[in-house]
Structures are given as structure tokens and as C-alpha cells.
Amino acid sequence: MAIAIRQLHPHFVGEVSGVDLRHPLTRDEVAQLQAAIDHYAVLVFHDQDISDEQQLAFALNFGEREQARGGTVTKKEDYRLTTGLNDVSNLGKDGKPLPPDHRTHLFNLGNCLWHSDSSFRPIPAKYSILSARIVNPKGGNTEFADMRAAYDALDDETKAEIEDLVCEHSLMYSRGSLGFLDYTDEEKQMFKPVRQRLVRTHPAHGRKSLYLSSHAGAVVGMSMPEGRLLLRDLTEHATQPEFVYVHTWKLHDLIMWDNRQTVHRVRRYDQSQPRDMRRATVAGTEPTVAQQAAE
């Protein structure tokens, strides 16, 4: 059965059929999916009942696995998953939903904010591949916004204003906006801000896009309030309904997205019920701007 793709949104998102991700892909299938993710920015696969090892093997067709260190307050000895996937669930090591006051739970609520995965790293992530193992019965949709279409819709004056701007990104910015302010000295060092361009150009097709994220909390050369107002205005513009696709999860759905061209967020859901989502993250290959100490 040949791979087929149906566009789900006027700007982006392709629904893929004709491929079983439990099995190794042929070179031609990898090439087709690579071209598809470049074009659609988000790919939706249904009925992919895969293991952690199969999910990671699929991800490795598109680059190296990103090392997870530095993206969480969870201690290594408390990790639920040991397979190399990122745990994007609401579950503890015992497989039960985390208590409402649990530090990991409070930190992970930041995923409800618009963001691009790993923009807080000097070399940010390329692709994320998320598998639904247990779907929460209430809420938990994931929304994606097309940052290419959002950039295209800006007026020329704004495009010229932001072309060369550089932002500082940190998990402390995104979590701080929700009131999560308690960090150890080790975490403060680990979450030290990094610098990213505000406008990115995609290497495959040359389209420009906004590189926004809740992790962005400052614009180099602007006062903190001025920079944050600009970022807030751009995010409000970029996440208007015309640029957004809403995904209602079904069991064994798998979604792959390009963090260089999109932002996403999960919507609130019933935290007393389990939600098991597992993410394979494909590492980026270069920084968006030369890193300097962002003190």
C-alpha cells in the first residue's frame, strides 16, 4: 500500500495513510515522509500501536535523538521511562496520576502554553514525534499553529522590524509566567537562558517563519517590558484560529511536527485520570544564532 497524504488545514497538517510504523521504513518511504514534513510541518498518523523501541527507530530515520538532560525538574531516579523517549504524561513512576501539588506536575503545566520544543537549548529540537498510549477522557487536545503562514501575514513594516531580532529562551520564563518560581541553584544553572533568532528560514524550502515560544522571555536590545509586549503581540497574531489546527487524540494516534515551523500546546484535561503520551525528539543540527552568555 502506497503512502497517501490528505491535507487537514488550509495552511498545513497532512494526514498520512499507507504506512505501518511498527516496521522499518524503506528508503523511498523515508524520502516521502521527509518531503511531507518539510511541506506540511505537521503529520498525523492513525492506528499506530507501537512500542517505545519502534517509535524511537522511526524517529532515527530523520536524525539523531536529542539528549533529554536539562528539560525537566524530575530527578533521573524518578524517571518513569528508561527507553530514550520523553515522558509527556501526567504519570509518576508508579504509573498513577501525579498528585495536584507534585512539583513535576506543576512544572509540566507549562506544556499548556504555546511553545516550540527545546527552544531553551542552545541547539533547539528539529522534530517531535508524539504517541498516544492512554488518552484522557476529558480535554487534552493538542493545538498547532503554522508559524510560516503567521509570518507571511505580517505587514512589511513588522517584518523589517523583527528580521534581525534575537530572543532569550529559558524554561524559567515559561514556568515563571504560571507562578512556578522555586528552583534549586543547580536548576537555575541548567535553565540558564539561551539565544534564538526571532525569524527563522527553513533550510529545505527557504520559507521564513516566526520562532516563538513561551520560553522566550526577553528580546536582546529591548527593555524587558517592551520585549515581552512584542512577543505577546506576535504570539496573539500567530495563534489566531486561521493559523491553528486542533487535534483530538484517539488511542494510538501519532503526530510528527517540525519545531522550526510550528508552535503547539496541550489544552487542560482531567488530571485525576491517566494520560500517557510519549515523545521521541529528533535533535537539531545547529544553533539559530551564535550563543553568548545571556546573564
Side-chain angles (χ1 to χ4, degrees):
M1 187 174 178
I3 290 177
I5 301 176
R6 179 173 71 97
Q7 189 160 331
L8 298 181
H9 183 279
H11 292 300
F12 68 144
V13 187
E15 181 184 62
V16 182
S17 59
V19 62
D20 185 343
L21 302 184
R22 294 174 299 179
H23 304 297
L25 299 180
T26 66
R27 184 177 300 180
D28 184 57
E29 287 173 330
V30 172
Q32 289 182 66
L33 293 177
Q34 180 65 68
I37 192 67
D38 289 341
H39 178 72
Y40 294 103
V42 178
L43 299 179
V44 177
F45 302 79
H46 298 297
D47 303 316
Q48 302 292 334
D49 184 6
I50 59 175
S51 67
D52 290 3
E53 292 74 20
Q54 290 165 340
Q55 184 175 346
L56 187 56
F58 170 65
L60 293 176
N61 287 296
F62 304 97
E64 296 183 4
R65 178 175 72 90
E66 181 182 80
Q67 299 303 311
R69 186 184 180 279
T72 179
V73 296
T74 306
K75 304 301 181 187
K76 190 170 184 178
E77 59 267 24
D78 294 326
Y79 284 3
R80 186 177 68 98
L81 304 181
T82 58
T83 54
L85 298 185
N86 301 87
D87 191 355
V88 200
S89 73
N90 67 340
L91 305 176
K93 198 172 184 178
D94 61 1
K96 298 178 181 178
L98 294 165
D101 60 349
H102 195 284
R103 193 163 184 260
T104 295
H105 163 68
L106 296 173
F107 186 83
N108 287 346
L109 288 175
N111 291 326
C112 293
L113 303 172
W114 289 108
H115 65 283
S116 177
D117 287 337
S118 298
S119 75
F120 52 82
R121 300 185 191 278
I123 298 179
K126 184 188 291 183
Y127 304 127
S128 295
I129 299 165
L130 190 62
S131 170
R133 308 298 178 84
I134 299 176
V135 175
N136 195 277
K138 182 180 179 183
N141 292 345
T142 300
E143 299 179 347
F144 298 88
D146 186 345
M147 295 294 97
R148 309 164 304 180
Y151 175 85
D152 291 344
L154 293 171
D155 60 73
D156 290 342
E157 184 179 354
T158 302
K159 288 178 180 177
E161 176 190 3
I162 67 174
E163 175 65 27
D164 296 316
L165 292 182
V166 173
C167 301
E168 294 180 359
H169 291 235
S170 169
L171 281 163
M172 290 189 290
Y173 290 140
S174 54
R175 274 52 183 173
S177 70
L178 295 180
F180 190 105
L181 304 169
D182 181 25
Y183 301 96
T184 66
D185 289 342
E186 180 185 6
E187 288 166 348
K188 288 177 182 177
Q189 184 63 29
M190 188 166 60
F191 298 152
K192 190 175 178 180
V194 302
R195 294 187 169 184
Q196 309 288 4
R197 288 187 58 88
L198 181 52
V199 178
R200 296 186 71 171
T201 301
H202 197 277
H205 47 62
R207 285 185 71 181
K208 290 183 177 181
S209 62
L210 292 168
Y211 193 41
L212 295 169
S213 184
S214 58
H215 308 315
V219 179
V220 176
M222 288 187 176
S223 67
M224 185 73 78
E226 184 183 18
R228 288 192 175 182
L229 278 175
L230 173 62
L231 292 171
R232 181 173 293 186
D233 283 350
L234 289 173
T235 301
E236 287 180 0
H237 161 77
T239 56
Q240 296 176 84
E242 65 186 281
F243 304 126
V244 172
Y245 163 74
V246 180
H247 186 76
T248 302
W249 290 93
K250 294 182 176 64
L251 185 63
H252 302 316
D253 279 354
L254 182 141
I255 299 185
M256 177 180 183
W257 65 88
D258 188 338
N259 286 291
R260 301 166 297 178
Q261 305 190 80
T262 61
V263 293
H264 64 281
R265 65 177 178 180
V266 62
R267 303 318 306 266
R268 293 174 65 243
Y269 57 92
D270 183 356
Q271 293 284 349
S272 70
Q273 300 297 313
R275 183 178 191 264
D276 189 351
M277 311 292 284
R278 306 184 185 194
R279 190 184 80 217
T281 313
V282 178
T285 56
E286 58 189 6
T288 66
V289 66
Q291 293 298 318
Q292 306 172 42
E295 301 292 352

